[in-house]
Amino acid sequence: MSLIQGDVGRHSATSSSVVTYRRRDEDNIDPMTRWGVGLTLLKCNWGIGMMAIPYLLDSGGLWLGTALFIASMFITRFSIGKLIKCKEILEGGEGTMAVVGDDDFDGPLLDYTGLIKTILGPRAELCALLSLAISMWGSCIAYLKFIHDNMPKFIGLDGAAWVGMCVIPAACLASFDDIQFLSSFATFGVFCGIAFATVLFIDTADSVSGHDFTEFLDNCTAADFSNIPLALSISAFCNEGIVVLSPSAHNAMHEKDSFLSVVTGTIFVFSICYLAVGFAGYLRYFPDPDGIKEEFTQNMDGSRVINKIGVSLYCLQLIPTFAVVYYCSYEAVEWRWCRSIGVDRGSHEWTVLYRKKAVFLRILGVVIAAGISLVISDFADVLGLVGALGTSIAVYVLPHLAWLKCTVGDTSLVTKLPSILCCTYGVVLMLAGSAQSLYK
């Protein structure tokens, strides 16, 4: 089993890394270089959240929005550090488990949910799985919402028709128990994102004069404190992939002592790229009388051929992205289900007795996601709600709870205080961000 099974777009963190730690086998993980790990982490984090960064800067204010995004990246890096520290503690520094809390665990290498269950127990694992499932399924809704909003403007037809056309391949792909054949779309998805950003940069450079830039700095909102929960929730939406994938990437890295340095560099590059897109989009469409849209593509000229091509390609790659991300979601839930009933997912008993029910529920999930994408009105609220309700627990709470338990009695309150604050931040963000996204 490879480390990456289709890390397309934001959550393509690998189906294997999300839940199936019980199947880990050290011999099946090829050592990765620093560059390989860095690119893998970058690919799993780069996704549709990019489309809302100009809106984040507009709603939170240019300088406050930027500061909040950067702060969320620092907290994300801090969470990854604690998660890897927990992994090293459990592996005893020599790659052999010091503590094992699950009889089904059959290898010395731990991934995200393996760490959470081993340290915090099965209830925490269930919480992690629900958080990941909500986040990933919510991402799928965001993909369909983006297609619904943008394809009519740039290509034609009704948004509902486009969603309906997307449901057919998405439902078919949901019937598969292994979608590794879609992993080749990972590079294509990242290419589409980078190409889209390049088009924006060129358009901004051609359209904005020095006078426009000065006027923009003089008139843009510097800070809007009323939208802090939404801005932080959108930032959180962008970060779960890299946190969830980190333990698995650490497993595969040859020079493990350099792992956190690679993570720091990856987050730095990711932050620069996303903020560059956000700043360029905010600057380019600031004069728009309707303001910056939640998807900045809605500010773009729908008649320009280059825009039509860029948006169409981006929407096209969202279909395999949907399949991979949704696969991560239902595989995680099904493995937990199988363990609870004592059946091995993929066994003959599973195929005969349970698989048809599972496929029905998968397809039903696709249909419900499509229905939700048709009735919701705000793209940014989808990202914010997913980030607050799903991502905040997995990124800001569970890693620190795990570290606090691993080090109980060994560290002072002052040392533990930052992790306690991060846990508090995650819970507050979940409540406040969800409330603002739902009732804005």
Side-chain angles (χ1 to χ4, degrees):
M1 181 182 298
S2 62
L3 170 65
I4 301 303
Q5 293 191 18
D7 49 319
V8 184
R10 171 197 168 246
H11 268 307
S12 27
T14 149
S15 56
S16 60
S17 73
V18 171
V19 61
T20 58
Y21 64 92
R22 64 193 297 272
R23 296 182 294 166
R24 279 288 176 212
D25 183 348
E26 187 173 6
D27 294 334
N28 288 334
I29 301 178
D30 297 326
M32 297 177 68
T33 64
R34 297 181 186 181
W35 281 103
V37 170
L39 289 174
T40 295
L41 294 174
L42 183 62
K43 283 195 296 182
C44 87
N45 232 38
W46 192 302
I48 201 168
M50 174 182 71
M51 298 299 178
I53 302 303
Y55 177 75
L56 182 155
L57 298 182
D58 182 44
S59 60
L62 179 61
W63 305 119
L64 179 61
T66 300
L68 293 175
F69 185 85
I70 293 174
S72 74
M73 296 300 141
F74 273 103
I75 298 174
T76 297
R77 168 59 181 81
F78 186 52
S79 297
I80 293 173
K82 295 304 182 186
L83 204 57
I84 298 303
K85 183 61 178 177
C86 290
K87 182 174 180 293
E88 291 173 343
I89 290 173
L90 292 182
E91 291 175 350
E94 300 295 334
T96 53
M97 288 297 301
V99 179
V100 178
D102 183 6
D103 293 337
D104 287 333
F105 184 81
D106 54 8
L109 301 178
L110 289 169
D111 62 11
Y112 180 82
T113 49
L115 281 169
I116 298 303
K117 183 179 183 184
T118 302
I119 299 170
L120 298 176
R123 291 185 179 179
E125 181 207 22
L126 180 59
C127 179
L129 292 179
L130 289 175
S131 174
L132 298 176
I134 290 171
S135 186
M136 293 175 183
W137 190 58
S139 296
C140 292
I141 295 173
Y143 301 152
L144 294 176
K145 174 62 176 172
F146 185 84
I147 292 171
H148 171 273
D149 292 347
N150 288 280
M151 290 303 286
K153 175 176 180 176
F154 291 90
I155 303 299
L157 296 181
D158 183 68
W162 283 108
V163 172
M165 286 188 283
C166 292
V167 165
I168 297 174
C172 291
L173 290 169
S175 66
F176 285 79
D177 291 332
D178 183 4
I179 55 171
Q180 190 168 352
F181 65 92
L182 289 176
S183 62
S184 59
F185 282 91
T187 302
F188 175 63
V190 175
F191 168 78
C192 288
I194 294 175
F196 199 89
T198 301
V199 170
L200 172 64
F201 296 150
I202 294 174
D203 184 38
T204 301
D206 289 341
S207 304
V208 178
S209 65
H211 174 74
D212 294 332
F213 181 73
T214 301
E215 187 174 344
F216 165 74
L217 293 179
D218 290 340
N219 294 288
C220 70
T221 302
D224 186 344
F225 293 94
S226 64
N227 286 320
I228 285 180
L230 179 61
L232 288 173
S233 297
I234 294 175
S235 298
F237 177 89
C238 301
N239 284 327
E240 184 175 9
I242 193 170
V243 175
V244 172
L245 185 58
S246 288
S248 299
H250 182 264
N251 290 336
M253 187 169 178
H254 179 64
E255 300 176 73
K256 288 182 170 54
D257 291 342
S258 302
F259 179 75
L260 291 179
S261 296
V262 173
V263 169
T264 301
T266 301
I267 291 178
F268 177 78
V269 172
F270 172 80
S271 301
I272 292 296
C273 292
Y274 261 47
L275 287 175
V277 169
F279 186 80
Y282 192 14
L283 173 62
R284 172 66 181 86
Y285 300 111
F286 179 75
D288 194 317
D290 294 328
I292 305 296
K293 302 294 186 180
E294 295 173 338
E295 306 146 88
F296 74 84
T297 48
Q298 290 294 299
N299 291 103
M300 298 172 69
D301 184 357
S303 64
R304 293 186 64 189
V305 175
I306 187 65
N307 291 345
K308 290 179 181 288
I309 295 174
V311 171
S312 298
L313 285 175
Y314 196 87
C315 288
L316 177 63
Q317 63 89 26
L318 288 178
I319 303 302
T321 300
F322 182 107
V324 172
V325 172
Y326 189 50
Y327 175 77
C328 294
S329 177
Y330 67 71
E331 189 202 37
V333 173
E334 288 173 10
W335 268 107
R336 185 64 171 77
W337 176 27
C338 287
R339 283 183 25 226
S340 69
I341 59 177
V343 174
D344 186 20
R345 186 177 183 270
S347 67
H348 178 72
E349 184 179 1
W350 157 263
T351 302
V352 173
L353 298 179
Y354 302 104
R355 188 178 181 279
K356 288 183 179 179
K357 296 177 183 178
V359 171
F360 171 77
L361 292 175
R362 295 174 199 171
I363 295 175
L364 180 63
V366 172
V367 174
I368 293 175
I372 294 175
S373 72
L374 294 177
V375 299
I376 55 178
S377 58
D378 296 322
F379 177 76
D381 286 342
V382 176
L383 303 191
L385 183 62
V386 171
L389 195 58
T391 307
S392 59
I393 297 299
V395 174
Y396 304 132
V397 177
L398 292 177
H400 295 281
L401 286 180
W403 181 78
L404 289 170
K405 185 171 183 181
C406 279
T407 59
V408 62
D410 296 333
T411 55
S412 65
L413 178 61
V414 174
T415 304
K416 294 179 178 180
L417 185 59
S419 286
I420 295 173
L421 292 176
C422 279
C423 291
T424 304
Y425 166 75
V427 173
V428 171
L429 177 60
M430 180 184 68
L431 298 175
S434 298
Q436 185 169 38
S437 297
L438 287 171
Y439 301 112
K440 188 182 71 170

